[in-house]
Amino acid sequence: MKKLNFNGHSSFDGDQSGNWRARVAALVAEKGGVKARDSSRPTSNHTIKTAFDKVQKLFSWLRQDLGFSGLSNPHHLSEKHLIALAGHIAAKKESGKIGAAMAAGYATYCRHLSRWIDKPHLIEVFNKALGKDVCKRSLIAERDKSWEAAGVNVEDKILEVMKYEYWVGLALWCQHWFGMRKNEILMFQPLNDIRPVPNTTPTMVMNGRGRLVKQDLAALHWKEWTGAVNINIVRGTKGNRPRVLWIDNDDAKEIAWLVRNEIQKFGDRETLGHPFSSLEQNTRTYERVLRKFGITNKALGITGHGLRAGFACNMLQSFDITPPVRGGDGQHPDPVQQRMAYKATTEALGHGRITVVGAYAGCITPQAAARQKKARERQALREAESQGPSAAEEMAGPVAQLGEWHKQSVTQVSSFAAVPAGGTVAPLTPEHLP
């Protein structure tokens, strides 16, 4: 018996030839339009596009890398396909081609795919084949990802970028001094977002028409009114939550006013990127310029996000706290001061949970610091044992001398007790000590 494939061509029942990309797109459009945990809530267009890209990638692996070249219908997936995908994801994670977060993302879409084709029992098969360690992620940084840690002079590198693409250099300055995310800086509008915080009441001044108007402090340099600077952003933030960056040092104020004045000189744009380019096009330009100057994990071991990590570590150090990724324990002698420091750093990064700072600076809780200290001590002891006599063996001599001295002291005290009444006993002197 013949039937029509998805592309309209006739084939036999067992044949799976056809337009597999169209089949995947139809499945995602039909099933991926609502959230898995709440079917009453629709998903965004971006989420649907991401789902299509991920599921398409999974099918590409099955057809090209795993030997299932005839598979074109998602509904024909079985246990062998999910087991093969689990092994492939684990192999890529093992080889370092993808990280734990990306592996977890692909695993999530494998589970979604099983539900979409009405075969939820495949989820258990996939989870068992994948294991728990493949997608295990650590929210605590194990190394310093800042540019300074990689031996890169931040100011010199940014100046090099500015000579090539001026607005990208300005974006890097903002990331370095304000700890902004990539999307935040690409959607940043300095003329609207950078505002002075006056500490005095504005005076009345004469405008161009000879009328008295209230003085616009935003038009003056910050040194002329000695106030602070606020950066208020909403576009590009996580969850579109409003975020206020408080700039309280002179260098950061200078950079804020530099960026604001440079945008005024451009005259044809509100954002840092080109006004006639979309956000996606400006993002590609930003990433292309960074690749040109070696700002990648492959070339120099750094990324644009490393400026944000450096901002977090530098801010902690301004509170006399040495981050664990820079050789410290992340603790302050005053617990109140420590909590204030981490709270301020968290808010400056645009987060609400203090523990998020650990993703940039390393472990931050006293318990974690104690565990890290014990681990360093155990490692130092193992290294000492591998090089020569252990610390216990080196201390064997002094310990034996101390024991002998203790016995002599006990003997002398016993003899003192036998002295008749009225007799004198010479006190212990340093000569009695070994």
Side-chain angles (χ1 to χ4, degrees), residues 81-227:
H81 299 118
L82 270 298
I83 293 174
L85 283 174
H88 196 63
I89 293 173
K92 284 186 171 293
K93 167 66 167 51
E94 183 74 19
S95 63
K97 294 181 179 180
I98 62 175
M102 189 171 292
Y106 284 120
T108 298
Y109 282 101
C110 286
R111 300 183 187 101
H112 284 329
L113 191 56
S114 301
R115 282 189 288 264
W116 291 344
I117 63 176
D118 298 325
K119 296 180 181 179
H121 66 278
L122 295 180
I123 297 178
E124 184 177 355
V125 175
F126 174 79
N127 290 339
K128 185 177 180 180
L130 184 65
K132 297 181 179 180
D133 296 334
V134 175
C135 301
K136 186 176 181 180
R137 288 171 287 179
S138 175
L139 298 180
I140 297 178
E142 298 179 356
R143 65 178 182 89
D144 190 354
K145 300 179 182 179
S146 64
W147 290 20
E148 297 90 339
V152 177
N153 189 303
V154 179
E155 295 184 359
D156 291 347
K157 180 63 70 172
I158 292 179
L159 290 175
E160 292 179 15
V161 174
M162 291 182 72
K163 293 178 181 178
Y164 178 78
E165 187 66 60
Y166 194 73
W167 75 265
V168 176
L170 292 178
L172 294 178
W173 276 123
C174 292
Q175 287 186 280
H176 174 55
W177 284 104
F178 312 139
M180 301 175 71
R181 303 180 179 93
K182 181 176 68 173
N183 281 349
E184 291 173 349
I185 198 61
L186 291 174
M187 303 175 71
F188 186 39
Q189 296 181 0
L191 294 178
N192 296 326
D193 298 339
I194 299 178
R195 287 292 176 182
V197 181
N199 55 5
T200 59
T201 304
T203 60
M204 302 300 292
V205 296
M206 200 76 68
N207 65 0
R209 297 183 178 181
R211 297 179 180 177
L212 285 175
V213 296
K214 185 178 291 187
Q215 186 180 25
D216 183 14
L217 296 179
L220 303 177
H221 194 275
W222 67 270
K223 288 183 178 179
E224 298 181 30
W225 42 264
T226 65

Side-chain angles (χ1 to χ4, degrees), residues 42-57:
T43 57
S44 64
N45 293 332
H46 176 73
T47 302
I48 295 177
K49 182 180 182 301
T50 302
F52 171 72
D53 293 339
K54 296 295 185 182
V55 175
Q56 187 184 68
K57 188 69 173 179

Side-chain angles (χ1 to χ4, degrees), residues 149-434:
V152 177
N153 189 303
V154 179
E155 295 184 359
D156 291 347
K157 180 63 70 172
I158 292 179
L159 290 175
E160 292 179 15
V161 174
M162 291 182 72
K163 293 178 181 178
Y164 178 78
E165 187 66 60
Y166 194 73
W167 75 265
V168 176
L170 292 178
L172 294 178
W173 276 123
C174 292
Q175 287 186 280
H176 174 55
W177 284 104
F178 312 139
M180 301 175 71
R181 303 180 179 93
K182 181 176 68 173
N183 281 349
E184 291 173 349
I185 198 61
L186 291 174
M187 303 175 71
F188 186 39
Q189 296 181 0
L191 294 178
N192 296 326
D193 298 339
I194 299 178
R195 287 292 176 182
V197 181
N199 55 5
T200 59
T201 304
T203 60
M204 302 300 292
V205 296
M206 200 76 68
N207 65 0
R209 297 183 178 181
R211 297 179 180 177
L212 285 175
V213 296
K214 185 178 291 187
Q215 186 180 25
D216 183 14
L217 296 179
L220 303 177
H221 194 275
W222 67 270
K223 288 183 178 179
E224 298 181 30
W225 42 264
T226 65
V229 177
N230 261 351
I231 298 182
N232 304 269
I233 56 177
V234 178
R235 296 169 296 276
T237 60
K238 284 290 185 69
N240 292 327
R241 292 185 294 269
R243 178 181 168 198
V244 179
L245 305 182
W246 182 264
I247 311 303
D248 59 351
N249 63 74
D250 291 350
D251 292 334
K253 291 176 185 177
E254 289 282 7
I255 294 298
W257 234 251
L258 168 68
V259 174
R260 195 176 191 278
N261 292 337
E262 291 303 313
I263 286 292
Q264 287 180 324
K265 292 179 181 179
F266 290 160
D268 60 346
R269 65 183 72 176
E270 294 181 348
T271 60
L272 293 178
H274 295 294
F276 300 108
S277 300
S278 64
L279 175 62
E280 184 177 356
Q281 290 172 328
N282 284 330
T283 301
R284 288 200 297 266
T285 301
Y286 171 89
E287 294 173 349
R288 174 179 56 80
V289 173
L290 263 59
R291 287 196 301 270
K292 178 177 177 62
F293 287 88
I295 307 175
T296 61
N297 277 322
K298 185 177 181 180
L300 296 176
I302 58 175
T303 62
H305 200 70
L307 292 173
R308 183 171 162 86
F311 171 83
C313 293
N314 294 336
M315 189 167 182
L316 285 180
Q317 288 183 323
S318 68
F319 290 100
D320 296 328
I321 296 177
T322 304
V325 294
R326 293 187 174 179
D329 59 0
Q331 305 302 303
H332 192 278
D334 186 357
V336 177
Q337 182 69 15
Q338 175 175 327
R339 183 164 183 82
M340 290 176 57
Y342 277 110
K343 182 66 175 176
T345 305
T346 300
E347 293 177 351
L349 292 170
H351 286 286
R353 293 178 291 109
I354 292 180
T355 54
V356 175
V357 182
Y360 301 94
C363 60
I364 60 174
T365 63
Q367 296 81 1
R371 290 194 299 268
Q372 190 181 56
K373 181 179 180 180
K374 290 182 179 179
R376 288 197 298 265
E377 292 175 352
R378 289 194 296 268
Q379 180 64 24
L381 182 58
R382 285 194 293 266
E383 293 178 356
E385 290 176 348
S386 63
Q387 295 176 359
S390 65
E393 294 176 351
E394 293 178 355
M395 290 295 295
V399 169
Q401 293 179 6
L402 183 61
E404 186 65 25
W405 171 80
H406 177 70
K407 292 180 181 179
Q408 294 177 5
S409 301
V410 172
T411 304
Q412 289 183 1
V413 170
S414 301
S415 62
F416 297 158
V419 175
T424 59
V425 178
L428 285 176
T429 61
E431 289 75 8
H432 295 96
L433 300 178

